[in-house]
Amino acid sequence: HVQLVESGGGSVQAGGTLRLTCPASGVPQSSHCMGWFRQAPGKEREGVAAIYTRGGSTFYADSVKGRFTISQDTPNNILYLQLTALKPEDTGMYFCAASTRGGCSALTQVYFQHWGQGTQVTVS
């Protein structure tokens, strides 16, 4: 049984920082990509960042490059997303997800089979 549980969201002022955490249990050993996605009110869900679990290569949406950092604690199977220089347009529900089918470099949602429930980020 795969379980992804996001935490660390909150309400911050523009320019602030947050760190999102996602411990992953039951994720298949073959899972080779973990990612963060977000959905703003009234908008479709979009990719934010992804990381190959082996090798650690990272990928980012243009809108967050230079401001967000994805990382992982591989032995403990925890995914992180550091958010800095936050903007109001970063507001949304943030989800972590796991894929055994690729989708890392292009943040392709359809390849991610396992999803958490999300954590809310609000920037004012």
Side-chain angles (χ1 to χ4, degrees), residues 31-45:
S31 177
H32 71 274
C33 179
M34 298 285 291
W36 288 96
F37 297 81
R38 69 184 180 189
Q39 186 167 20
K43 295 187 177 181
E44 293 186 354
R45 190 167 58 189

Side-chain angles (χ1 to χ4, degrees), residues 14-74:
T17 63
L18 286 171
R19 190 192 197 201
L20 307 185
T21 300
C22 179
S25 61
V27 176
Q29 290 296 316
S30 60
S31 177
H32 71 274
C33 179
M34 298 285 291
W36 288 96
F37 297 81
R38 69 184 180 189
Q39 186 167 20
K43 295 187 177 181
E44 293 186 354
R45 190 167 58 189
E46 63 177 357
V48 175
I51 184 168
Y52 279 122
T53 55
R54 297 190 184 97
S57 295
T58 57
F59 308 91
Y60 295 93
D62 288 342
S63 59
V64 306
K65 280 181 182 176
R67 300 189 299 120
F68 292 7
T69 303
I70 188 171
S71 61
Q72 59 186 351
D73 176 351
T74 304

